[in-house]
Amino acid sequence: MSDNVTAIKGFADLFSPDSDAFTHMEAVARETFSRYGFTELRTPILERTELFCRGIGTETDVVQKEMYTFPDRKGRSLTLRPEATAGVMRAYIESGRSGDAVTKLFTIGPMFRYERPQKGRLREFVQCDIDILGDESPNAEVELIDVTARALLGIGFTGFTVNINDRRILRGMLESMGFAADTLDSVCITFDKMDKIGAEGVKAELTEKQLPEAA
Protein backbone atom coordinates (compact mmCIF):
# COMPACT_ATOMS: atom_id res chain seq x y z
CA MET A 1 0.00 0.00 0.00
CA SER A 2 1.41 3.42 -0.94
CA ASP A 3 2.25 5.95 1.76
CA ASN A 4 -0.44 8.42 0.68
CA VAL A 5 -3.24 6.08 1.75
CA THR A 6 -1.87 5.01 5.13
CA ALA A 7 -2.59 6.59 8.51
CA ILE A 8 -0.26 9.42 9.53
CA LYS A 9 2.34 8.34 12.08
CA GLY A 10 1.09 9.02 15.59
CA PHE A 11 -2.59 8.78 14.62
CA ALA A 12 -4.75 5.67 14.86
CA ASP A 13 -8.03 4.17 13.67
CA LEU A 14 -10.21 2.65 16.37
CA PHE A 15 -12.38 -0.35 15.61
CA SER A 16 -14.57 -2.22 18.08
CA PRO A 17 -13.93 -3.15 20.88
CA ASP A 18 -11.54 -0.19 21.36
CA SER A 19 -14.06 2.29 19.95
CA ASP A 20 -16.73 0.81 22.25
CA ALA A 21 -14.46 1.38 25.26
CA PHE A 22 -13.98 5.05 24.32
CA THR A 23 -17.72 5.52 23.83
CA HIS A 24 -18.40 3.94 27.22
CA MET A 25 -15.82 6.09 29.04
CA GLU A 26 -17.11 9.30 27.48
CA ALA A 27 -20.73 8.37 28.28
CA VAL A 28 -19.91 7.68 31.94
CA ALA A 29 -17.94 10.93 32.22
CA ARG A 30 -20.76 12.99 30.66
CA GLU A 31 -23.37 11.38 32.91
CA THR A 32 -21.28 11.93 36.05
CA PHE A 33 -20.43 15.55 35.29
CA SER A 34 -24.04 16.37 34.35
CA ARG A 35 -25.32 14.79 37.55
CA TYR A 36 -23.21 17.24 39.58
CA GLY A 37 -24.31 20.32 37.68
CA PHE A 38 -21.62 20.63 34.99
CA THR A 39 -22.74 21.52 31.46
CA GLU A 40 -20.89 20.58 28.29
CA LEU A 41 -18.96 23.14 26.26
CA ARG A 42 -17.75 22.28 22.76
CA THR A 43 -14.95 24.47 21.44
CA PRO A 44 -13.33 24.53 17.97
CA ILE A 45 -10.39 22.26 17.19
CA LEU A 46 -8.63 25.28 15.60
CA GLU A 47 -7.75 28.42 17.55
CA ARG A 48 -5.49 31.42 16.98
CA THR A 49 -1.91 30.48 17.88
CA GLU A 50 -1.45 33.40 20.28
CA LEU A 51 -4.19 31.97 22.51
CA PHE A 52 -1.95 29.04 23.44
CA CYS A 53 1.19 31.18 23.72
CA ARG A 54 -0.63 33.25 26.34
CA GLY A 55 -2.41 30.38 28.04
CA ILE A 56 0.41 27.83 28.23
CA GLY A 57 3.41 30.17 28.29
CA THR A 58 5.83 30.93 25.49
CA GLU A 59 8.71 29.04 27.14
CA THR A 60 7.07 25.64 27.31
CA ASP A 61 8.01 22.70 25.11
CA VAL A 62 4.36 22.44 24.04
CA VAL A 63 4.47 25.89 22.43
CA GLN A 64 8.00 25.63 21.07
CA LYS A 65 8.06 22.05 19.78
CA GLU A 66 4.73 20.23 19.99
CA MET A 67 2.01 22.43 18.45
CA TYR A 68 0.61 21.84 14.97
CA THR A 69 0.71 25.43 13.71
CA PHE A 70 0.17 26.78 10.19
CA PRO A 71 -0.93 29.98 8.41
CA ASP A 72 -4.40 30.21 6.86
CA ARG A 73 -5.15 31.89 3.53
CA LYS A 74 -5.30 35.30 5.21
CA GLY A 75 -1.89 34.82 6.81
CA ARG A 76 -3.21 34.29 10.33
CA SER A 77 -1.37 31.74 12.45
CA LEU A 78 -3.71 28.92 13.53
CA THR A 79 -3.06 25.94 15.80
CA LEU A 80 -4.73 22.59 16.37
CA ARG A 81 -5.55 22.71 20.06
CA PRO A 82 -2.86 20.96 22.18
CA GLU A 83 -5.00 21.16 25.37
CA ALA A 84 -8.50 22.22 26.40
CA THR A 85 -8.13 24.93 29.04
CA ALA A 86 -7.10 27.85 26.81
CA GLY A 87 -10.08 27.34 24.50
CA VAL A 88 -12.48 26.99 27.44
CA MET A 89 -11.29 30.29 28.91
CA ARG A 90 -11.48 32.02 25.52
CA ALA A 91 -15.07 30.85 25.03
CA TYR A 92 -16.04 31.75 28.60
CA ILE A 93 -14.73 35.31 28.31
CA GLU A 94 -15.94 35.88 24.73
CA SER A 95 -19.47 34.73 25.63
CA GLY A 96 -19.75 37.40 28.33
CA ARG A 97 -20.34 34.79 31.05
CA SER A 98 -17.35 35.93 33.09
CA GLY A 99 -19.60 38.41 34.93
CA ASP A 100 -22.13 35.73 35.84
CA ALA A 101 -22.38 33.60 38.95
CA VAL A 102 -20.34 30.41 39.30
CA THR A 103 -20.14 28.47 36.02
CA LYS A 104 -19.46 24.72 35.93
CA LEU A 105 -18.29 23.37 32.56
CA PHE A 106 -16.85 20.22 31.07
CA THR A 107 -15.42 19.48 27.64
CA ILE A 108 -14.37 16.25 25.95
CA GLY A 109 -12.58 16.20 22.62
CA PRO A 110 -9.50 15.47 20.52
CA MET A 111 -6.23 17.34 21.15
CA PHE A 112 -3.07 17.31 19.04
CA ARG A 113 0.63 17.41 19.91
CA TYR A 114 3.59 16.78 17.62
CA GLU A 115 5.62 14.51 19.88
CA ARG A 116 7.38 11.18 19.54
CA PRO A 117 4.74 8.45 19.23
CA GLN A 118 5.22 5.60 21.69
CA LYS A 119 3.18 2.89 23.37
CA GLY A 120 0.07 4.45 24.90
CA ARG A 121 0.98 7.93 23.62
CA LEU A 122 -0.17 9.24 20.22
CA ARG A 123 -0.16 12.63 18.53
CA GLU A 124 -3.96 12.77 18.68
CA PHE A 125 -5.52 12.09 22.07
CA VAL A 126 -8.77 12.78 23.89
CA GLN A 127 -8.76 15.17 26.83
CA CYS A 128 -11.58 15.31 29.34
CA ASP A 129 -11.59 18.61 31.24
CA ILE A 130 -13.85 19.99 34.00
CA ASP A 131 -13.75 23.51 35.37
CA ILE A 132 -15.51 25.64 37.97
CA LEU A 133 -15.23 29.31 37.00
CA GLY A 134 -16.10 32.25 39.23
CA ASP A 135 -15.40 30.49 42.55
CA GLU A 136 -11.98 31.14 44.12
CA SER A 137 -12.63 29.12 47.28
CA PRO A 138 -10.95 25.77 48.05
CA ASN A 139 -14.42 24.22 47.85
CA ALA A 140 -14.23 24.41 44.05
CA GLU A 141 -10.96 22.46 44.01
CA VAL A 142 -12.40 19.84 46.37
CA GLU A 143 -15.47 19.43 44.16
CA LEU A 144 -13.39 19.02 41.00
CA ILE A 145 -11.29 16.29 42.63
CA ASP A 146 -14.37 14.56 44.06
CA VAL A 147 -16.33 14.55 40.79
CA THR A 148 -13.28 13.39 38.79
CA ALA A 149 -12.78 10.49 41.21
CA ARG A 150 -16.48 9.57 40.91
CA ALA A 151 -16.18 9.51 37.11
CA LEU A 152 -13.10 7.25 37.28
CA LEU A 153 -14.88 4.89 39.68
CA GLY A 154 -17.92 4.85 37.37
CA ILE A 155 -15.70 3.85 34.43
CA GLY A 156 -14.28 1.00 36.51
CA PHE A 157 -10.94 2.27 37.78
CA THR A 158 -10.11 1.31 41.37
CA GLY A 159 -7.15 1.61 43.71
CA PHE A 160 -5.93 4.88 42.20
CA THR A 161 -4.26 7.68 44.16
CA VAL A 162 -5.01 11.41 43.83
CA ASN A 163 -1.87 13.56 44.12
CA ILE A 164 -2.52 17.19 45.03
CA ASN A 165 -0.17 19.95 43.89
CA ASP A 166 -0.58 23.61 44.87
CA ARG A 167 1.59 26.03 42.92
CA ARG A 168 1.35 28.57 45.80
CA ILE A 169 3.23 26.16 48.08
CA LEU A 170 5.88 25.51 45.43
CA ARG A 171 6.35 29.25 44.79
CA GLY A 172 6.74 29.89 48.52
CA MET A 173 9.38 27.16 48.76
CA LEU A 174 11.25 28.50 45.73
CA GLU A 175 11.33 32.04 47.11
CA SER A 176 12.68 30.73 50.41
CA MET A 177 15.47 29.02 48.45
CA GLY A 178 16.57 32.31 46.93
CA PHE A 179 14.74 32.58 43.59
CA ALA A 180 13.41 36.08 42.87
CA ALA A 181 9.63 36.49 42.63
CA ASP A 182 9.79 37.67 39.01
CA THR A 183 11.58 34.46 37.96
CA LEU A 184 9.19 31.99 39.59
CA ASP A 185 7.03 31.36 36.51
CA SER A 186 10.13 30.35 34.54
CA VAL A 187 11.49 28.27 37.44
CA CYS A 188 8.15 26.46 37.86
CA ILE A 189 8.06 25.59 34.14
CA THR A 190 11.45 23.91 34.56
CA PHE A 191 10.41 22.12 37.76
CA ASP A 192 7.37 20.69 35.93
CA LYS A 193 9.83 18.71 33.78
CA MET A 194 11.24 16.84 36.79
CA ASP A 195 9.61 13.52 35.83
CA LYS A 196 10.96 13.77 32.27
CA ILE A 197 14.52 15.06 32.73
CA GLY A 198 15.30 14.31 36.39
CA ALA A 199 16.91 16.49 39.06
CA GLU A 200 20.17 16.91 37.12
CA GLY A 201 18.26 17.98 34.04
CA VAL A 202 16.32 20.54 36.06
CA LYS A 203 19.56 21.86 37.57
CA ALA A 204 21.16 22.15 34.11
CA GLU A 205 18.20 24.04 32.70
CA LEU A 206 18.07 26.45 35.65
CA THR A 207 21.80 27.06 35.23
CA GLU A 208 21.28 27.71 31.52
CA LYS A 209 18.66 30.33 32.46
CA GLN A 210 21.40 32.03 34.55
CA LEU A 211 19.46 31.73 37.80
CA PRO A 212 21.34 31.94 41.13
CA GLU A 213 23.61 28.92 41.56
CA ALA A 214 23.11 28.87 45.34
CA ALA A 215 19.34 28.65 44.93
Side-chain angles (χ1 to χ4, degrees):
M1 185 176 289
S2 62
D3 288 341
N4 64 343
V5 290
T6 59
I8 300 169
K9 186 177 181 180
F11 295 79
D13 302 306
L14 287 181
F15 290 92
S16 181
D18 292 331
S19 58
D20 299 335
F22 264 85
T23 300
H24 170 69
M25 287 190 288
E26 291 178 10
V28 171
R30 284 190 170 92
E31 189 280 326
T32 304
F33 300 152
S34 298
R35 191 180 345 133
Y36 290 96
F38 292 81
T39 58
E40 185 168 9
L41 168 65
R42 299 192 181 203
T43 61
I45 288 177
L46 274 178
E47 296 276 7
R48 296 176 187 269
T49 301
E50 57 262 36
L51 176 70
F52 299 108
C53 292
R54 279 189 206 148
I56 304 175
T58 54
E59 291 189 51
T60 66
D61 284 346
V62 174
V63 171
Q64 292 180 341
K65 302 175 184 177
E66 297 180 5
M67 296 201 311
Y68 281 95
T69 298
F70 53 89
D72 69 0
R73 291 180 180 179
K74 292 185 177 180
R76 296 171 297 192
S77 182
L78 303 180
T79 293
L80 287 170
R81 60 188 182 195
E83 55 87 42
T85 302
V88 169
M89 292 307 302
R90 192 267 312 147
Y92 174 67
I93 294 169
E94 190 174 358
S95 69
R97 296 168 186 258
S98 54
D100 294 351
V102 175
T103 302
K104 298 165 68 173
L105 301 170
F106 74 89
T107 183
I108 301 173
M111 310 291 156
F112 304 87
R113 293 192 183 189
Y114 188 82
E115 57 181 342
R116 184 172 63 85
Q118 51 191 296
K119 186 176 181 180
R121 195 174 186 93
L122 297 174
R123 290 171 173 172
E124 179 185 6
F125 59 95
V126 175
Q127 182 173 329
C128 181
D129 183 88
I130 60 172
D131 297 281
I132 300 177
L133 305 171
D135 183 353
E136 297 181 6
S137 75
N139 294 336
E141 305 296 339
V142 172
E143 183 174 358
L144 290 171
I145 294 167
D146 177 61
V147 174
T148 299
R150 291 176 187 272
L152 291 172
L153 289 168
I155 290 169
F157 290 103
T158 59
F160 55 84
T161 300
V162 176
N163 295 314
I164 298 177
N165 172 46
D166 191 321
R167 183 59 65 86
R168 291 168 296 185
I169 297 173
L170 176 58
R171 291 173 74 92
M173 291 172 60
L174 293 172
E175 279 198 87
S176 72
M177 293 172 186
F179 291 104
D182 61 357
T183 67
L184 293 184
D185 286 340
S186 178
V187 175
C188 286
I189 287 169
T190 299
F191 264 73
D192 285 342
K193 301 177 185 178
M194 182 74 75
D195 289 343
K196 287 185 176 181
I197 64 177
E200 287 303 313
V202 168
K203 182 179 178 181
E205 187 166 311
L206 294 175
T207 301
E208 186 180 336
K209 291 181 177 181
Q210 298 184 323
L211 292 163
E213 185 176 347

